[in-house]
Amino acid sequence: DDNGRGSVYVYNTDGTGELKITASDGAINDNFGYRVAINSTKIFVGATGNDDAGSVYVYNLDGTGEQKITASDGAAGDAFGISVAISDTHIVVGAYGDDDSGSFSGSAYVYNLDGTGEVKLTASDGASNDQFGYSVAVSDTKVVVGAWYDDDAGNDSGSAYVYNLDGTGEVKITATDGANFDYFGGAVAISDTKVVVGAFNDDNGRGSVYVYNTDGTGE
């Protein structure tokens, strides 16, 4: 929308009450709206191109109260906001272009809902082009981060990592039948007891979904 500045539209569940939200500092190629998340009181919007490093904007449900969240160590090309997830108490933001462990090794950040308390997550075995942070999800106690280009089971076979909210307790999950270009971790979801990981290119593009306990067992 508007040369890549982007926008977000909010509706009631019956499709009425359209509200359009744009960033107060929006610029061309910000990609505001690339990812969105919502809870009972707040809207979160990823803008992967904002200020070159990317950012996330927070709004009340009526579009007021804009707040901007950026990574404390953000740099050009990080794509902070490529993925966004929210629980009742925390927001998680992926930055798959971050390069702490090599180009596009990726990272994810955990915040309180007001943008404070930043915790940065990186894979203990991260490597160039893993794209850790391409997908994220959060529950009341755990965070799951997808690294869909990780190569443990072949080129771009993919993986997912589970952490406590404070970044401790890393558990790495890979598919027992992982293979080249499965892209396991391209999508992730989590509840209080289970982790779900998508591998959309598994089995020659047929795709599959894997379900685990939060400790990585029980595939």
Side-chain angles (χ1 to χ4, degrees):
D1 185 49
D2 197 15
N3 294 316
R5 288 181 173 85
S7 59
V8 167
Y9 296 79
V10 185
Y11 300 87
N12 299 320
T13 54
D14 63 359
T16 63
E18 180 181 278
L19 170 68
K20 183 176 182 178
I21 300 175
T22 57
S24 61
D25 63 346
I28 292 173
N29 295 324
D30 273 1
N31 295 326
F32 177 92
Y34 194 92
R35 290 288 186 267
V36 295
I38 188 172
N39 67 7
S40 58
T41 60
K42 297 288 185 180
I43 296 165
F44 296 80
V45 183
T48 57
N50 181 244
D51 297 334
D52 294 327
S55 62
V56 168
Y57 294 80
V58 186
Y59 300 90
N60 300 320
L61 297 182
D62 63 0
T64 64
E66 180 183 86
Q67 177 189 357
K68 186 174 178 178
I69 300 174
T70 58
S72 60
D73 63 346
D78 281 356
F80 179 92
I82 192 70
S83 55
V84 181
I86 185 174
S87 72
D88 292 334
T89 58
H90 289 82
I91 177 173
V92 181
V93 182
Y96 80 147
D98 197 10
D99 57 6
D100 285 14
S101 300
S103 179
F104 276 86
S105 52
S107 62
Y109 297 79
V110 184
Y111 300 92
N112 300 318
L113 294 184
D114 62 0
T116 63
E118 180 183 273
V119 174
K120 184 174 183 178
L121 307 178
T122 57
S124 59
D125 62 346
S128 294
N129 207 40
D130 280 356
Q131 297 193 18
F132 176 98
Y134 180 80
S135 60
V136 296
V138 61
S139 72
D140 291 337
T141 59
K142 299 284 186 180
V143 178
V144 58
V145 182
W148 67 328
Y149 275 19
D150 195 11
D151 298 326
D152 283 17
N155 291 334
D156 301 342
S157 52
S159 63
Y161 297 78
V162 181
Y163 301 88
N164 299 320
L165 294 177
D166 64 0
T168 63
E170 180 185 88
V171 174
K172 183 173 185 178
I173 301 174
T174 56
T176 56
D177 62 347
N180 290 335
F181 309 116
D182 279 356
Y183 304 119
F184 178 95
V188 294
I190 191 169
S191 72
D192 290 337
T193 59
K194 297 290 184 181
V195 175
V196 181
V197 183
F200 68 87
N201 203 45
D202 187 28
D203 196 14
N204 296 316
R206 291 180 175 86
S208 59
V209 169
Y210 297 78
V211 183
Y212 302 88
N213 300 318
T214 55
D215 63 0
T217 64
E219 179 180 287

